[in-house]
Amino acid sequence: MLIESMTREASIDLLKRARVARLGYIHDGQPYIVPMLFAYNVDYLYSISTAGQKIDWMRINPRVCVEVDDLVTAQQWETVIVLGQYEDLPHTEEHETSRAHAHALLQSSRPAWWEPGYVKTIVGGKERPLEVLYFRIRIDQISGRRGLPG
Ligand SMILES: Cc1cc2nc3c(=O)[nH]c(=O)nc-3n(C[C@H](O)[C@H](O)[C@H](O)COP(=O)(O)OP(=O)(O)OC[C@H]3O[C@@H](n4cnc5c(N)ncnc54)[C@H](O)[C@@H]3O)c2cc1C
């Protein structure tokens, strides 16, 4: 097999096709990764969440890493890594346009687009407040690799 780098255009094409990403962030020197659904649009990845650890910690340290992949076989695959910056899209006048844009984009991305980012969540027997938080990752750097059989 052969491994080669992907162009920025091909990397963006995977971001458009992929739905599940791995979102990596760091708190107190400890890296964390969670699966996340997202929608891509011009230099940003958009998603939603309820309040919790990853939101609290990305607010403290907004530098994040996102990985997406299309794994067909061990020889045939594409992976893209994005380095970027977490940004809240709160319910404020300043962010209303971006928030509406995120909503429209996520809604057109798939049916039941709010699951599992915004669902009843019980952790340690305690139900958390169900308030939707919109956020986006600004793409600062992007790289792609692909594996080809033969
Ligand atoms: C396919 C898929 C798509 C998802 N899409 C989204 C999305 O778009 N938006 C969204 O907010 N969430 C999404 N989730 C859920 C997400 O991965 C987190 O589980 C969730 O957001 C809670 O994260 P938190 O930091 O708020 O955790 P908290 O509920 O605050 O709990 C933190 C603690 O729980 C552990 N923990 C948290 N999540 C997981 C997990 N998935 N597996 C194992 N341990 C965990 C952490 O290690 C930590 O110790 C998705 C999950 C899957 C499987």
Side-chain angles (χ1 to χ4, degrees), residues 20 25 32 34-38 47-55 110 115-117 121 123 128 135:
V20 182
Y25 52 96
Y32 291 81
V34 285
M36 171 190 81
L37 297 183
F38 74 96
S47 190
I48 55 162
S49 178
T50 51
Q53 192 182 82
K54 71 177 181 307
I55 296 291
R110 60 182 188 276
E115 290 178 337
T121 302
V123 178
R128 69 174 39 167
F135 66 93

Side-chain angles (χ1 to χ4, degrees), residues 1-4 75 77 146-150:
M1 73 170 290
L2 167 74
I3 295 177
E4 64 177 21
Q75 288 80 34
W77 45 262
R146 79 162 51 97
L148 298 166

Side-chain angles (χ1 to χ4, degrees), residues 107-118:
Q107 193 160 33
S108 65
S109 68
R110 60 182 188 276
W113 58 272
W114 57 90
E115 290 178 337
Y118 176 66

Side-chain angles (χ1 to χ4, degrees), residues 20-142:
V20 182
R22 268 71 192 179
L23 167 67
Y25 52 96
I26 293 187
H27 182 72
D28 273 350
Q30 173 65 58
Y32 291 81
I33 298 176
V34 285
M36 171 190 81
L37 297 183
F38 74 96
Y40 164 86
N41 190 248
V42 195
D43 294 337
Y44 288 97
L45 304 174
Y46 292 87
S47 190
I48 55 162
S49 178
T50 51
Q53 192 182 82
K54 71 177 181 307
I55 296 291
D56 290 346
W57 289 357
M58 288 191 295
R59 283 175 175 163
I60 294 169
N61 179 2
R63 297 299 309 162
V64 299
C65 178
V66 177
E67 190 267 355
V68 299
D69 49 61
D70 180 12
L71 308 176
V72 182
T73 67
Q75 288 80 34
Q76 189 183 344
W77 45 262
E78 290 184 341
T79 57
V80 164
I81 292 175
V82 164
L83 302 183
Q85 183 90 6
Y86 169 83
E87 294 179 7
D88 271 317
L89 296 176
H91 240 317
T92 59
E93 208 177 317
E94 183 195 348
H95 291 96
E96 220 40 66
T97 306
S98 302
R99 206 177 146 90
H101 176 66
H103 178 88
L105 195 65
L106 288 161
Q107 193 160 33
S108 65
S109 68
R110 60 182 188 276
W113 58 272
W114 57 90
E115 290 178 337
Y118 176 66
V119 290
K120 181 172 174 174
T121 302
I122 301 165
V123 178
K126 204 172 158 208
E127 189 172 335
R128 69 174 39 167
L130 200 50
E131 184 202 351
V132 65
L133 304 171
Y134 286 79
F135 66 93
R136 66 184 180 184
I137 308 295
R138 190 191 70 216
I139 300 173
D140 293 336
Q141 199 177 308
I142 180 167

